[in-house]
Amino acid sequence: MKTSRTDSLQKIRPEIKAAKISAASSAQETFQNKTLRPIIKFQHPLLLALVKKHLKKRNQNLQALSPEKLAALLESSFDKDVQLRQLIKGMVLGLFTQEEFLRYSQNDSDIHKRILQICKERVLTNLEEILS
């Protein structure tokens, strides 16, 4: 039986109609589309604020960068900045239910990659919000 916390966590997540889940979907794909994408969409404003603050903390003058250089900096940060990667993973994991956390624990390496890839795509498609 689900707890009220579990119900609350799942109710706050937006529905993503484009996320297809079929019988042919792998367990990881289903987890990505049913759990990760809704959490990351819900956390979108926080994700952008976190990335922006983190880059400024690293003494990056975002306003002085062209969109191309900002995109390159973001790519590099997502690939190499351990602290940023940990912050982003924590932001997503903190909204898992206990059942989702148990599923995550069985394949955390793949799920980490999926979280970071989805978040990187979200940030790169919203560069104007990072620059504002």
Side-chain angles (χ1 to χ4, degrees), residues 24-83:
S25 298
S26 69
Q28 290 85 0
E29 233 180 324
T30 300
F31 187 79
Q32 172 182 294
N33 290 330
K34 193 174 176 188
T35 303
L36 297 180
R37 287 190 183 281
I39 289 173
I40 293 168
K41 183 174 183 177
F42 175 77
Q43 292 287 69
H44 178 81
L46 179 60
L47 172 64
L48 295 181
L50 182 139
V51 169
K52 186 174 183 176
K53 181 184 182 303
H54 188 77
L55 292 178
K56 284 183 178 180
K57 187 177 173 184
R58 297 273 193 236
N59 296 319
Q60 296 295 328
N61 182 358
L62 303 180
Q63 304 305 322
L65 298 175
S66 69
E68 295 79 21
K69 286 189 179 185
L70 177 59
L73 174 64
L74 288 166
E75 288 269 355
S76 175
S77 295
F78 269 88
D79 293 342
K80 297 176 185 170
D81 190 326
V82 175
Q83 185 180 23

Side-chain angles (χ1 to χ4, degrees), residues 89-129:
K89 288 186 278 189
M91 179 186 77
V92 175
L93 297 179
L95 290 178
F96 280 2
T97 64
Q98 190 172 5
E99 179 184 314
E100 291 164 344
F101 183 77
L102 292 173
R103 187 172 296 152
Y104 151 82
S105 297
Q106 296 168 356
N107 198 4
D108 60 349
S109 180
D110 178 61
I111 293 171
H112 287 167
K113 290 176 191 171
R114 288 174 186 265
I115 290 170
L116 292 168
Q117 185 58 40
I118 294 167
C119 288
K120 180 166 55 170
E121 287 173 19
R122 270 196 167 272
V123 170
L124 290 173
T125 58
N126 290 280
L127 288 179
E128 68 282 350
E129 291 183 54

